[in-house]
Amino acid sequence: MVKLHHEGRSLKSLAKEFGASKDSIAIWVKQATPIMIKDQSKTLKDVKQLEKHLAILDEENGILSRIA
């Protein structure tokens, strides 16, 4: 559905054809649409995973700095 939307199909027509809500399809399109970060293409999902990983590393660094 995301590919079809990128090819020009409307959310309304996709929702009608596939039985999904327009809001769900819009979310999927947003999540799958690449964004450029430092000349690299990333999806919103990629960015969220990186942010989560960064938060874990920050927490680990804080723990290690208190131990040292």
Side-chain angles (χ1 to χ4, degrees):
M1 282 188 267
V2 171
K3 183 178 178 185
L4 292 171
H5 180 69
H6 284 289
E7 291 173 352
R9 295 277 305 273
S10 71
L11 294 177
K12 184 177 179 179
S13 71
L14 292 170
K16 185 176 180 181
E17 182 178 342
F18 293 100
S21 72
K22 290 190 310 184
D23 291 336
S24 293
I25 299 169
I27 290 169
W28 300 333
V29 169
K30 184 178 179 179
Q31 290 174 340
T33 301
I35 54 176
M36 295 301 292
I37 300 174
K38 294 187 178 183
D39 297 327
Q40 293 182 1
S41 178
K42 301 285 184 196
T43 64
L44 184 58
K45 183 178 178 181
D46 294 332
V47 172
K48 287 185 178 189
Q49 286 177 335
L50 289 170
E51 288 174 342
K52 186 175 181 177
H53 187 68
L54 178 61
I56 292 168
L57 292 174
D58 284 343
E59 185 177 337
E60 290 173 351
N61 282 337
I63 293 168
L64 291 173
S65 67
R66 286 192 296 269
I67 292 172

